[in-house]
Amino acid sequence: MNRKHIYLLLFLLLFGFIGFAQKFHISTQKKFEKVRFELVNNLMIVPVELNGAKLSFILDTGVSSPILFNLTDQDSVQINNVSEISLRGLGEGEPIKALKSEGNTFKIGSAKSFNQSLYVVLDKDINFSASLGVPVHGIIGYDVFKSFVVDINYQKRSLKLFNPKSYQYKTSKKKQTLPLTIIDKKAYVDGAVALSDDEEVPVKLLVDTGSSDALWLFHDPEKGLEVPDSNYEDFLGKGLSGNIFGKRTKLNGIRIGNFRLNEAKVAFPHKESLNAIVNLGDRNGSVGGEVLRRFHIIFDYVNNKITLSKNASFNAPFHYNLAGIDLQHNGVRYIAEQIADVNGVVTGDNKTFGNVQLLLENRTRLSLVPEIVVSGIRAGSPAEEAGLREGDIILAVNGRKVYGYKLQEILQMMNRKEGKRIRILIERYNKDLLFSFVLKDLFKTKKP
């Protein structure tokens, strides 16, 4: 499914004013530092301490400097040596106001960085926690990757940070080490794509663990990167400067090194959303988390290498948003639940036992649960045709109440497979309404 792709795109900010990059360090007595992460919508969310405050950051190979962008009234974080600046990222909006801060201390596990610069986005509307369903306070990337050899195990949800000077490569027929080009603090890898036939077009791709999407390509007919006829208009994500839209389609395949993924999902973002990219150079797109999570990856920025090996998810099918619904958290709500007795019987009715009738007390309790709302609907999708609207509150999917599930699990319920009937109970203007639709193959009908 094409979940609401959280594509922060901070690598596109104009960071020419950064004087130098800080480094993380671990004890010389440790071989490596192991850090657990949470994988949400193909994004790695790692625990980070900022000046002693415990926060959660997305680990993103595409970002030059740490950025703090989601502070609530309950958060208390000290930041040092602050000045005001303007930032511009992807999207069709205007630059935003932000703060630059210096002299901060970051800690990831036992790895520490002192005198660290970071940027604080002040716009409270930039809140990616609502779309991910978990708290996310910021994003961090280059300062971690240039400090260590970073071993990412998507299957075990863990990464290991090795000292580049002492790291030893292990040879294996299952692994392949490829050149990794570092330009302006961003990592690039060479690959190839096959569009509507098996003829491959070589491409240079930004490696972006901060994108939950699979693959983005920039429309370039001279290069052979045409949008296939079978496509549909889609919301691709949200950048610092607004929403990003483009054409969603699929390729015959994408190849990186000797690894080929067939029937790969791809998007061609509209040119208007790429205004923040001053110079594309010879870059043709980016490869994101829905592809990267299929590998065990070792990033070695110091020696310009990336090592790939397949994991158990390699041949998993690519997911599309068949229903056409995007969801997000919208605060919390109270629900009333009837309480069962010790025998599991819900009270509140007249019960007859032989010739004796007992009136049992009606017992309920109020529970505070997340409120899940429709944040967007794709035009022409089954959900739109059925009558669902943006702002509808989701109560249940196929008879299952949603408040006991994570946001991504709810999206999975709505996008099981082509041909499946989906029944969604929603609340609209204090009325409960039931909608039903059938999931359709997005590429059976060619679109002009």
Side-chain angles (χ1 to χ4, degrees):
M1 81 212 63
N2 175 22
R3 305 165 196 149
K4 190 169 187 178
H5 291 298
I6 312 305
Y7 205 106
L8 304 179
L9 305 167
L10 301 175
F11 58 86
L12 296 170
L13 301 180
L14 305 181
F15 282 150
F17 40 76
I18 298 175
F20 60 95
Q22 295 77 20
K23 291 193 68 173
F24 280 81
H25 301 275
I26 57 174
S27 171
T28 55
Q29 297 179 351
K30 296 189 69 171
K31 184 177 180 181
F32 60 83
E33 176 64 18
K34 186 174 182 179
V35 180
R36 296 284 182 183
F37 62 81
E38 188 174 0
L39 189 66
V40 180
N41 200 13
N42 303 321
L43 301 175
M44 294 179 286
I45 301 175
V46 298
V48 173
E49 284 190 27
L50 169 57
N51 298 331
K54 294 183 178 180
L55 305 174
S56 297
F57 276 55
I58 294 172
L59 184 63
D60 182 3
T61 50
V63 65
S64 300
S65 287
I67 294 184
L68 196 62
F69 56 74
N70 183 30
L71 293 179
T72 67
D73 295 336
Q74 289 74 40
D75 294 318
S76 178
V77 181
Q78 175 186 337
I79 56 174
N80 305 318
N81 304 321
V82 173
S83 58
E84 188 171 315
I85 60 170
S86 293
L87 298 177
R88 180 169 183 84
L90 282 197
E92 300 178 12
E94 298 298 320
I96 61 173
K97 295 293 184 182
L99 302 176
K100 178 183 178 183
S101 173
E102 297 179 337
N104 301 284
T105 298
F106 276 76
K107 184 179 177 183
I108 301 177
S110 68
K112 295 182 179 180
S113 175
F114 302 98
N115 196 30
Q116 176 77 50
S117 295
L118 77 141
Y119 300 86
V120 183
V121 174
L122 301 176
D123 189 346
K124 290 187 177 181
D125 291 335
I126 300 178
N127 180 2
F128 298 99
S129 298
S131 298
L132 288 174
V134 297
V136 177
H137 302 97
I139 187 164
I140 191 168
Y142 179 74
D143 294 313
V144 176
F145 286 95
K146 67 117 175 194
S147 301
F148 304 106
V149 173
V150 180
D151 183 314
I152 298 175
N153 190 324
Y154 278 97
Q155 293 289 298
K156 294 183 177 180
R157 310 293 196 263
S158 69
L159 56 93
K160 294 178 180 178
L161 309 176
F162 291 87
N163 187 331
K165 294 181 180 179
S166 58
Y167 182 79
Q168 295 182 347
Y169 278 88
K170 297 178 181 179
T171 58
S172 170
K173 292 182 180 179
K174 297 181 180 180
K175 298 179 180 180
Q176 185 178 12
T177 299
L178 303 169
L180 188 70
T181 305
I182 309 298
I183 303 174
D184 294 333
K185 303 178 183 179
K186 296 136 190 121
Y188 297 84
V189 68
D190 291 329
V193 296
L195 295 170
S196 57
D197 52 38
D198 283 329
E199 184 178 351
E200 290 190 344
V201 177
V203 288
K204 182 176 183 179
L205 301 172
L206 177 87
V207 183
D208 191 5
T209 61
S211 163
S212 63
D213 214 334
L215 184 70
W216 280 16
L217 292 176
F218 302 146
H219 183 227
D220 187 350
E222 293 184 3
K223 176 77 176 180
L225 299 177
E226 285 277 16
V227 182
D229 291 338
S230 183
N231 66 75
Y232 61 92
E233 189 76 16
D234 201 12
F235 168 75
L236 304 184
K238 187 171 184 177
L240 282 184
S241 295
N243 292 331
I244 304 161
F245 298 92
K247 300 289 188 181
R248 174 79 61 191
T249 182
K250 65 179 177 181
L251 306 170
N252 275 19
I254 172 178
R255 181 177 55 77
I256 301 175
N258 295 328
F259 302 104
R260 179 178 167 111
L261 292 164
N262 296 317
E263 303 269 310
K265 183 169 70 174
V266 65
F268 287 80
H270 292 325
K271 184 178 180 180
E272 295 79 11
S273 295
L274 303 176
N275 289 334
I277 304 180
V278 178
N279 181 17
L280 288 177
D282 56 352
R283 175 188 164 197
N284 306 113
S286 58
V287 55
E290 195 171 352
V291 168
L292 298 174
R293 70 174 178 84
R294 299 161 189 269
F295 296 94
H296 187 136
I297 307 177
I298 300 171
F299 287 97
D300 185 351
Y301 278 32
V302 174
N303 296 298
N304 298 100
K305 295 179 181 180
I306 184 172
T307 301
L308 303 175
S309 56
K310 297 179 183 179
N311 63 27
S313 298
F314 185 81
N315 290 316
F318 286 87
H319 296 293
Y320 295 86
N321 190 338
L322 301 177
I325 302 176
D326 290 321
L327 301 179
Q328 70 176 35
H329 277 284
N330 189 40
V332 293
R333 62 190 277 124
Y334 281 102
I335 61 168
E337 297 178 291
Q338 289 185 302
I339 302 174
D341 63 19
V342 292
N343 296 313
V345 178
V346 176
T347 61
D349 297 311
N350 292 339
K351 300 294 182 181
T352 301
F353 300 91
N355 295 323
V356 180
Q357 187 179 62
L358 299 178
L359 178 62
L360 301 179
E361 180 185 3
N362 184 23
R363 301 171 62 203
T364 62
R365 67 182 174 199
L366 292 177
S367 299
L368 199 61
V369 300
E371 183 173 273
I372 309 298
V373 302
V374 176
S375 58
I377 298 183
R378 189 176 69 243
S381 65
E384 187 202 46
E385 292 177 352
L388 282 155
R389 301 177 189 171
E390 188 172 332
D392 287 342
I393 300 171
I394 305 296
L395 302 178
V397 178
N398 288 344
R400 288 189 283 180
K401 296 178 181 178
V402 300
Y403 56 79
Y405 295 89
K406 295 180 180 179
L407 190 63
Q408 303 309 317
E409 292 173 334
I410 300 169
L411 285 164
Q412 289 172 6
M413 293 180 197
M414 297 180 178
N415 292 277
R416 289 295 185 190
K417 61 181 179 179
E418 178 199 357
K420 183 173 179 62
R421 179 166 292 279
I422 305 297
R423 296 175 177 84
I424 298 180
L425 179 67
I426 64 102
E427 179 184 308
R428 182 189 296 167
Y429 303 130
N430 296 319
K431 292 183 179 180
D432 291 356
L433 302 173
L434 182 64
F435 294 89
S436 177
F437 54 83
V438 175
L439 300 178
K440 300 176 183 178
D441 188 327
L442 296 165
F443 301 107
K444 275 189 174 179
T445 303
K446 289 190 176 183
K447 299 185 178 183

